[in-house]
Amino acid sequence: EVQLVESGGGLVQPGGSLRLSCVASGFPFSTSKMNWVRRPPGKGLEWIASINPSGGSSEYADSVKGRFTISRDNAKNMLYLQLNSLQIEDTATYYCQYSVQIYGNRSDYRGQGTQVTVSS
């Protein structure tokens, strides 16, 4: 069974930083591309970052590029997201996401999420 558990969210002032963590189990984490997505209040899911299995390559949405950094520790089955220079618009529930294609059908797995609130 795929399990993803996010943590590290909280209340932070604009310009502040947070580090989100996600512990993964139930699938081959070290050979899987991983993602972070977020859901702002009242809005849909937004992809924000991806990292390849080795951790040597990553991609970011324009909205977070230069401010957020995705990383992973395959020995610990951990995914991270460093959030710097946080803005009010970054307020959202953040999820780590594992996606798998089976017979042409994509399934997305996410944890319960961790809430990030940016407010002065």
Side-chain angles (χ1 to χ4, degrees):
E1 179 188 3
V2 174
Q3 288 195 323
L4 298 163
V5 180
E6 303 92 342
S7 62
L11 174 64
V12 62
Q13 293 186 336
S17 297
L18 284 172
R19 189 192 194 206
L20 308 184
S21 299
C22 171
V23 58
S25 62
F27 65 99
F29 179 82
S30 63
T31 58
S32 300
K33 179 180 180 180
M34 293 297 296
N35 306 275
W36 283 98
V37 299
R38 67 185 181 186
R39 187 191 301 275
K43 298 184 179 180
L45 278 173
E46 174 190 12
W47 168 82
I48 54 174
S50 295
I51 189 166
N52 73 337
S54 71
S57 178
S58 56
E59 299 175 281
Y60 298 91
D62 288 344
S63 58
V64 306
K65 196 174 297 182
R67 299 188 298 120
F68 292 6
T69 303
I70 188 172
S71 62
R72 65 193 297 162
D73 184 337
N74 286 342
K76 298 181 179 178
N77 276 21
M78 294 293 296
L79 182 71
Y80 304 101
L81 187 67
Q82 179 68 40
L83 289 65
N84 295 331
S85 302
L86 281 161
Q87 303 168 356
I88 291 176
E89 303 77 53
D90 295 317
T91 295
T93 303
Y94 285 71
Y95 304 88
C96 60
Q97 179 172 295
Y98 163 62
S99 299
V100 60
Q101 289 268 2
I102 300 176
Y103 302 117
N105 296 314
R106 190 180 103 177
S107 296
D108 295 330
Y109 296 88
R110 292 181 288 273
Q112 83 291 345
T114 186
Q115 178 67 38
V116 172
T117 302
V118 185
S119 175
S120 55

